[in-house]
């Protein structure tokens, strides 16, 4: 991990998903030799996968995935623990120039170097993530998360109230020269160059899922807009691309059966005045 220059990474914690191997026939010989394919697992997941026939070979690999077993996870919430490798790749791979993140529900279906060339180099971007296929506004994302019980409702409200108080407004696609094509990313597929601004954005985004809910789509736009506001003289080249482009390079599957909703953070205010849907 200390010497990887280009990384494809994913994780499965808490036995929450199946192992999905990259499509080998789509990965070129250069990438097979030079790109690090890292899959982070906890011990429970390794045991579960081994019982299903996915056993690491003598090199610690399952197919192209090099298995890294993680102990002493920093959070009991497995979704929040998964944000560490998702958002802090530049900390885990200090020598890497580029990284690609795949949620465990995705199977890589294209060569990593071609992905970097298409999403970063062609666009002169340092960070690439797809827009959500259905929603563009954080207000819509909040409602959907509560409708599907994705997280404790009071925790969502607490986070959303804070963002509104710090200047977050509704997305307006018809506005003059909108800052972003959408305020809601799909979020399962991220391509990044490990530049100072890209790394700063990743750290700031992680800070939000650390102090509020682990639903990173809720905090993406707030983090990006605040980064721009606080660093007016420094450009951050973000490429938000169409979701159909993501589907062309990563095949989507369903997770294993979902568990219960996440508990609220311990420091959360739970008085009734903060439990309703913000306007």
């Amino acid at each position: 991990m200390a010497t990887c220059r280009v990384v494809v990474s994913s994780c499965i914690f808490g036995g929450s998903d199946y192992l999905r191997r990259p499509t080998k026939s789509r990965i070129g010989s250069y990438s097979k030799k030079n790109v690090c394919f890292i899959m982070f697992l906890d011990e429970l997941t390794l045991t579960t996968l081994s019982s299903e026939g996915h056993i690491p070979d003598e090199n610690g690999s399952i197919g192209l995935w090099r298995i890294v077993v993680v102990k002493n996870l920093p959070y009991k919430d497995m979704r929040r623990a998964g944000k560490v490798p998702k958002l802090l790749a530049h900390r885990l791979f200090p020598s890497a120039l580029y990284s690609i993140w795949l949620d465990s529900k995705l199977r890589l279906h294209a060569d990593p170097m071609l992905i970097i060339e298409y999403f970063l180099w062609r666009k002169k971007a340092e960070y690439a993530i797809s827009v959500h296929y259905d929603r563009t506004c954080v207000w819509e994302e909040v409602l959907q998360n509560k409708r599907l019980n994705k997280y404790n409702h009071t925790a969502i409200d607490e986070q959303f109230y804070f963002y509104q108080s710090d200047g977050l407004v509704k997305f307006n696609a018809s506005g003059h020269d909108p800052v972003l094509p959408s305020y809601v990313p799909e979020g399962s597929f991220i391509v990044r160059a490990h530049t100072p601004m890209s790394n700063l954005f990743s750290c700031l985004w992680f800070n939000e899922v650390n102090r509020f809910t682990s639903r990173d789509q809720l905090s993406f736009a707030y983090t990006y807009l605040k980064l721009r506001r606080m660093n007016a003289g420094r450009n951050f080249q973000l490429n938000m691309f169409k979701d159909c482009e993501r589907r062309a390079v990563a095949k989507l599957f369903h997770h294993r059966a979902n568990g219960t909703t996440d508990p609220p953070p311990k420091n959360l205010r739970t008085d009734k005045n903060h439990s309703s849907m913000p306007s």
Side-chain angles (χ1 to χ4, degrees):
M1 289 172 59
T3 60
C4 294
R5 305 292 279 177
V6 179
V7 181
V8 175
S9 64
S10 187
C11 77
I12 310 172
F13 295 149
S16 60
D17 222 328
Y18 303 100
L19 183 71
R20 313 189 200 283
R21 307 185 192 191
T23 306
K24 270 192 173 183
S25 62
R26 297 296 185 97
I27 311 298
S29 58
Y30 178 88
S31 291
K32 289 177 180 177
K33 182 178 179 181
N34 294 284
V35 175
C36 296
F37 293 84
I38 304 294
M39 173 64 73
F40 296 99
L41 305 176
D42 62 351
E43 293 175 291
L44 171 61
T45 303
L46 180 62
T47 300
T48 301
L49 294 177
S50 296
S51 70
E52 297 172 344
H54 297 289
I55 301 173
D57 61 21
E58 62 275 9
N59 297 315
S61 298
I62 302 176
L64 289 177
W65 288 124
R66 178 65 181 271
I67 304 302
V68 176
V69 180
V70 182
K71 300 179 181 179
N72 301 317
L73 291 173
Y75 306 103
K76 292 182 180 180
D77 175 359
M78 295 295 100
R79 294 183 183 89
R80 198 186 302 270
K83 306 306 177 185
V84 176
K86 178 175 182 176
L87 300 179
L88 300 180
H90 60 288
R91 302 291 298 274
L92 298 175
F93 304 97
S95 299
L97 301 176
Y98 300 97
S99 66
I100 298 171
W101 168 262
L102 297 160
D103 277 7
S104 57
K105 64 183 178 182
L106 298 180
R107 171 180 289 156
L108 188 66
H109 204 54
D111 187 280
M113 298 308 299
L114 294 179
I115 289 173
I116 291 169
E117 188 271 338
Y118 182 81
F119 290 107
L120 296 183
W121 297 346
R122 287 192 191 185
K123 308 294 184 181
K124 294 181 171 57
E126 50 195 317
Y127 203 101
I129 190 169
S130 67
V131 299
H132 196 275
Y133 54 86
D134 185 47
R135 295 181 291 281
T136 59
C137 185
V138 181
W139 270 249
E140 298 169 337
E141 186 66 20
V142 167
L143 286 171
Q144 185 70 358
N145 271 262
K146 296 171 77 172
R147 185 178 297 118
L148 299 179
N149 286 320
K150 292 287 188 178
Y151 208 93
N152 176 274
H153 292 200
T154 304
I156 293 174
D157 287 344
E158 186 83 358
Q159 179 178 9
F160 197 34
Y161 276 122
F162 178 84
Y163 288 169
Q164 289 181 87
S165 71
D166 201 28
L168 182 67
V169 297
K170 290 184 177 181
F171 176 76
N172 180 11
S174 62
H176 176 67
D177 192 22
V179 175
L180 291 171
S182 169
Y183 277 3
V184 182
E186 201 283 327
S188 63
F189 179 77
I190 301 173
V191 188
R192 76 197 87 178
H194 290 194
T195 63
M197 287 298 285
S198 172
N199 296 345
L200 176 59
F201 173 74
S202 295
C203 282
L204 294 175
W205 195 6
F206 177 80
N207 287 349
E208 296 305 310
V209 300
N210 177 60
R211 68 171 173 165
F212 287 120
T213 73
S214 61
R215 308 301 300 179
D216 52 36
Q217 290 161 307
L218 298 177
S219 52
F220 172 82
Y222 169 79
T223 304
Y224 176 78
L225 295 171
K226 188 165 186 177
L227 176 68
R228 278 175 53 97
R229 189 168 74 243
M230 302 298 290
N231 296 270
R234 302 174 65 186
N235 290 328
F236 175 43
Q237 302 299 329
L238 174 66
N239 173 24
M240 286 197 80
F241 53 89
K242 294 179 180 179
D243 190 58
C244 60
E245 296 177 282
R246 175 193 61 82
R247 293 196 297 268
V249 298
K251 183 174 175 60
L252 176 66
F253 295 85
H254 292 293
H255 289 298
R256 291 185 194 263
N258 292 325
T260 58
T261 56
D262 303 301
K266 291 182 179 179
N267 62 347
L268 181 70
R269 294 168 61 182
T270 57
D271 54 281
K272 292 183 179 179
N273 291 333
H274 286 78
S275 61
S276 60
M277 173 65 195
S279 61

